[in-house]
Amino acid sequence: MRIVIAGAHGKIARLLTRNLTADGHEVIGLIRNPTHAEDLRTDGSTPVVLDLESSTAAELAAALSGVDVAVFAAGAGGGSGDARKKSVDLGASVLLADAAQAAGVPRFVQVSSTGVDLVRGGAEPAEVPEDMLAYLQAKLAAEEDLVRRDLTWTIVRPGTLTDDPATGLVSLQHTGPGIPEVRGTIPRADVAAVLAALIASGSGALETLYLVSGRTPVPSAVAALA
């Protein structure tokens, strides 16, 4: 398959790229900073320098020609202001989805976050730290935009991310009304492994999924979605 990853220099994205290219897939990595291009080549992907905060959907669609799956793994990152969280975590996701539809990309995988349900309906709960509020609001709005689109989408909400070594054991669960949000941590390497398995298998179509460390091997957890 031909896969494009937005935010390709991020930690999860680079791990995902290595997983995908090791399995023989072609990966195109979208980056804003041209100095990151060599890192992407080392990972096995083809870098494309394109700023998702200033590009048009038409410009981005040109980079998605012939792509089978678009992955949104970008984020403004810690320390960024509220405005940038809105322009990246929300705005860039909307732009990639617009471009994916224009280019005829059939599949869209979005990396979101646990905690987004806490801010649904404009809530500002006390348990959400002030510096996380805008981030979760942007992630929720990006989810709400995506699920209305004519795309085969999958949304993955990882728990608190760590840089621990992969365990290969996860809890991957459906979301929905009446289903309590799953809390926990998970190594980024395990998130990347789950994303790669979802992409390769096509599992999780039109599903929003909680993902934390657990007891189920990644292949079994993804296969169980079917």
Side-chain angles (χ1 to χ4, degrees):
M1 284 189 289
R2 195 164 193 241
I3 300 148
V4 67
I5 302 177
H9 198 259
K11 291 181 179 180
I12 291 174
R14 293 191 66 187
L15 292 164
L16 174 59
T17 295
R18 294 169 200 160
N19 287 341
L20 292 171
T21 55
D23 287 338
H25 301 293
E26 179 186 357
V27 178
I28 299 165
L30 304 181
I31 51 174
R32 181 171 58 93
N33 187 340
T35 64
H36 293 159
E38 192 55 40
D39 288 339
L40 268 61
R41 293 188 186 98
T42 299
D43 295 336
S45 73
T46 300
V48 173
V49 179
L50 199 153
D51 189 346
L52 297 180
E53 293 180 88
S54 60
S55 299
T56 66
E59 290 170 337
L60 182 52
L64 302 185
S65 177
V67 165
D68 300 295
V69 185
V71 179
F72 184 77
S80 60
D82 291 359
R84 190 144 195 273
K85 289 181 176 68
K86 185 174 182 179
S87 65
V88 177
D89 293 279
L90 171 57
S93 175
V94 170
L95 180 68
L96 184 64
D98 284 342
Q101 287 187 291
V105 178
R107 185 98 190 274
F108 194 107
V109 177
Q110 184 181 76
V111 181
S112 186
S113 175
T114 53
V116 295
D117 280 334
L118 295 173
V119 299
R120 196 174 296 276
E124 298 184 13
E127 64 264 39
V128 174
E130 185 176 349
D131 61 347
M132 287 290 291
L133 185 62
Y135 168 75
L136 293 176
Q137 290 171 337
K139 287 296 187 187
L140 176 61
E143 288 189 12
E144 292 174 337
D145 171 81
L146 181 58
V147 300
R148 292 192 293 262
R149 293 178 180 268
D150 186 20
L151 288 165
T152 301
W153 51 266
T154 300
I155 297 168
V156 179
R157 296 177 177 175
T160 302
L161 300 169
T162 75
D163 289 320
D164 295 337
T167 67
L169 300 174
V170 300
S171 171
L172 184 64
Q173 299 185 30
H174 299 282
T175 66
I179 300 176
E181 182 174 71
V182 177
R183 302 291 183 91
T185 64
I186 185 166
R188 289 176 172 86
D190 283 331
V191 176
V194 168
L195 293 173
L198 289 169
I199 291 167
S201 67
S203 297
L206 306 182
E207 294 278 4
T208 301
L209 304 165
Y210 294 126
L211 175 60
V212 295
S213 292
R215 299 181 179 180
T216 306
V218 169
S220 299
V222 171
L225 297 175

